[in-house]
Amino acid sequence: MTEPAVLPDSLAEIQEGFLELGERDRLQLLLEFAGELPALPPRYADHPSLLEKVEECQSPVRAFAEVEPDGVHFYATAPAEAPTTRGFASILTQGLTGLTPEQVLAVPDDFAMTLGLNRSVSPLRLSGMTGMLTRAKRQVREQLG
Amino acid sequence: MPAPLDPTPRIAEYAHPDRLVTTEWLAEQLAAGNVGTAQLAVVESDEDVLLYETGHIAGAVKVDWHTDLLQPVERDYLDGAGFAALLAERGIGRDTTIVVYGDKNNWWAAYTAWVFTLFGHEDVRLLDGGRNLWVAEGRELTTEVPTPAAADYPVVERDDVTFRAFKEDVLAHIGHGPLVDIRSPQEYTGERLHIPDYPEEGVLRGGHIPTARSVPWATAVAADGTYKTRAELEGIYQEGGLGITGDDDVVTYCRIGERSSHTWFALHFLLGLEKVRNYDGSWTEWGNAVRVPIVAGDQPGEYAA
């Protein structure tokens, strides 16, 4: 891990979009992302990663990354009652999809903490997004063998 | 003047029938134009910080446990001045009846009700069944955010003794009264510490506080998320169940204190037990603390003096 972490353009643009807003508006932007989370393609309805269910306090997000010929794809599903989780998943869907596996692995682990949401969302909740990113990177690494 | 009580017979049976309202009752208050007045405020408290924005009960104001109730730096609640400012800004006076509801079976709503009680707000009630039931019944939500006129709220110091337990209190409590662990059975035994890839509130040790009995929070609710009847709750926590009596000093805990607020509410307000404290440090503190006793496995364990 001597390579410096580089934020791909897609994620950098999202980050910029948050940081140029005031705190209240950042929440609104996160809500917009939540509304944009695409439905899971039907062919993934039985994907094994979907079985990694998260119980109790954490909202039941199910997310996974696939390395495909045209780059990485990130898929996620979370219930409408969990808009913050949907927002995080949507940011990663838009920010990771289409990147090369190497680019995904180079995304800084603390990306979630750099969106200016620490006060209005809280670091504890943002750790859920960090978890999703960590998981995506692990899955990409596994698929590269 | 407080809002009227909910006359539903099941509610009237509880020790403090003035602490719980049904969705029907709230719908009637809404229709009568009483919500958002000096008499009655409705507060939504959710796990999800954005859920209120997607739609809430008309006239309801939002109170978030992370960003409103907790301090950003120290792990503690806001102080008397901060609480007064928060409630005043939400249009809530000291005499206003507050009805709290929220997602996830009212966990965070109960937590908010508990924090409000630390500040001695007299009339705090829970909407039985919470947000889930309101939505399941097809009742309306709105995205219109109310802008209540600021109210006057006095600065009242928080009472951290009567209903709140700290780690030292819990250490002294072991062997002297019931401890109720309301986490999942796997958290109680120590089998599960955290969820893979979800580095939530990292905890170093698994298990439970010696002598604690496991009664997962959900034991207290019916299928629709409303609290079970008083007789059913008595059978769980009192005679025929845990055996808690009116003289007992009780401490509840979970992982961060929100699910245990839900049980605290049932024990104190619905069953009328006087001395019930919630240990808000809960397992995220105990499981990380140096040299505190821990029991792993499914037995409560002994009190070692």
Side-chain angles (χ1 to χ4, degrees):
Chain A
M1 293 294 282
T2 50
E3 298 267 318
V6 183
L7 203 55
D9 290 348
S10 51
L11 288 171
E13 273 170 36
I14 290 171
Q15 186 187 53
E16 208 175 304
F18 275 101
L19 294 181
E20 67 190 18
L21 296 174
E23 288 205 340
R24 292 301 312 171
D25 291 335
R26 286 178 199 165
L27 269 189
Q28 210 53 45
L29 180 57
L30 186 60
L31 188 59
E32 282 170 30
F33 271 101
E36 291 166 10
L37 182 67
L40 199 65
R43 66 181 181 281
Y44 288 114
D46 298 323
H47 196 284
S49 293
L50 291 179
L51 299 174
E52 289 183 36
K53 190 167 174 267
V54 179
E55 292 171 0
E56 290 290 345
C57 290
Q58 191 79 38
S59 294
V61 58
R62 295 150 184 206
F64 59 97
E66 292 258 298
V67 178
E68 290 167 30
D70 61 343
V72 171
H73 287 255
F74 180 80
Y75 300 104
T77 169
E81 304 79 55
T84 302
T85 303
R86 287 179 63 85
F88 293 159
S90 178
I91 288 171
L92 293 180
T93 302
Q94 294 183 30
L96 298 182
T97 298
L99 299 182
T100 66
E102 293 72 23
Q103 281 176 312
V104 170
L105 295 178
V107 174
D109 289 331
D110 67 350
F111 172 70
M113 306 296 169
T114 66
L115 298 174
L117 291 169
N118 294 18
R119 276 170 54 98
S120 53
V121 171
S122 90
L124 178 63
R125 287 171 171 137
L126 286 164
S127 72
M129 180 163 165
T130 302
M132 259 186 261
L133 177 61
T134 307
R135 173 187 293 217
K137 289 168 78 165
R138 166 171 64 78
Q139 289 173 337
V140 167
R141 207 172 287 120
E142 284 169 359
Q143 290 167 60
L144 288 180
Chain B
M1 201 180 81
L5 299 189
D6 187 326
T8 307
R10 182 178 63 85
I11 304 262
E13 286 173 6
Y14 293 122
H16 296 280
D18 51 346
R19 294 298 186 164
L20 208 56
V21 298
T22 56
T23 49
E24 293 81 13
W25 180 91
L26 183 54
E28 283 165 20
Q29 297 299 318
L30 258 180
N34 294 341
V35 171
T37 63
Q39 189 190 29
L40 175 61
V42 177
V43 168
E44 176 161 342
S45 285
D46 298 317
E47 176 197 42
D48 196 296
V49 69
L50 279 176
L51 191 55
Y52 172 90
E53 278 77 6
T54 68
H56 50 264
I57 296 175
V61 294
K62 170 182 170 179
V63 171
D64 185 70
W65 63 289
H66 265 303
T67 59
D68 290 323
L69 297 181
L70 284 168
Q71 292 186 26
V73 179
E74 279 179 38
R75 184 174 171 186
D76 203 355
Y77 302 104
L78 71 188
D79 61 10
F83 185 72
L86 174 72
L87 268 66
E89 200 269 331
R90 300 294 193 275
I92 301 172
R94 189 71 171 163
D95 299 327
T96 306
T97 296
I98 304 176
V99 172
V100 197
Y101 75 99
D103 64 355
K104 299 295 181 78
N105 297 288
N106 268 346
W107 290 343
W108 279 268
Y111 187 81
T112 293
W114 174 70
V115 173
F116 283 15
T117 304
L118 298 184
F119 285 99
H121 193 97
E122 203 54 50
D123 194 353
V124 184
R125 312 179 189 183
L126 273 185
L127 175 66
D128 204 17
R131 185 182 164 104
N132 283 352
L133 185 60
W134 184 270
V135 171
E137 290 172 341
R139 299 185 190 276
E140 270 182 43
L141 298 178
T142 176
T143 54
E144 197 178 314
V145 176
T147 48
D152 277 327
Y153 201 94
V155 173
V156 182
E157 286 315 309
R158 202 175 60 223
D159 174 354
D160 281 342
V161 175
T162 313
F163 298 119
R164 188 179 186 192
F166 294 96
K167 183 173 122 249
E168 295 70 28
D169 302 324
V170 177
L171 266 173
H173 179 80
I174 300 174
H176 299 283
L179 261 165
V180 186
D181 184 322
I182 65 77
R183 297 173 300 160
S184 63
Q186 294 82 1
E187 289 171 287
Y188 178 83
T189 59
E191 192 184 312
R192 188 169 75 193
L193 270 181
H194 64 94
I195 295 142
D197 288 342
Y198 284 87
E200 258 215 62
E201 318 96 340
V203 178
L204 295 173
R205 292 287 192 268
H208 56 267
I209 301 172
T211 74
R213 303 278 298 274
S214 170
V215 184
W217 69 274
T219 316
V221 299
D224 63 358
T226 58
Y227 278 110
K228 287 180 179 167
T229 63
R230 181 171 187 179
E232 289 171 315
L233 292 177
E234 282 172 351
I236 294 164
Y237 299 104
Q238 300 192 271
E239 208 182 331
L242 283 191
I244 297 174
T245 69
D247 296 332
D248 279 328
D249 235 315
V250 189
V251 173
T252 62
Y253 72 94
C254 59
R255 196 161 60 164
I256 52 172
E258 94 292 10
R259 286 173 288 170
S260 50
S261 301
H262 184 271
T263 300
W264 170 84
F265 193 93
L267 295 177
H268 182 58
F269 287 134
L270 305 186
L271 292 178
L273 298 169
E274 285 298 319
K275 295 178 286 184
V276 188
R277 287 175 293 170
N278 183 30
Y279 169 39
D280 59 281
S282 275
W283 201 256
T284 53
E285 178 178 47
W286 199 272
N288 285 323
V290 174
R291 217 165 64 176
V292 296
I294 291 176
V295 175
D298 59 8
Q299 295 302 309
E302 299 289 314
Y303 161 59

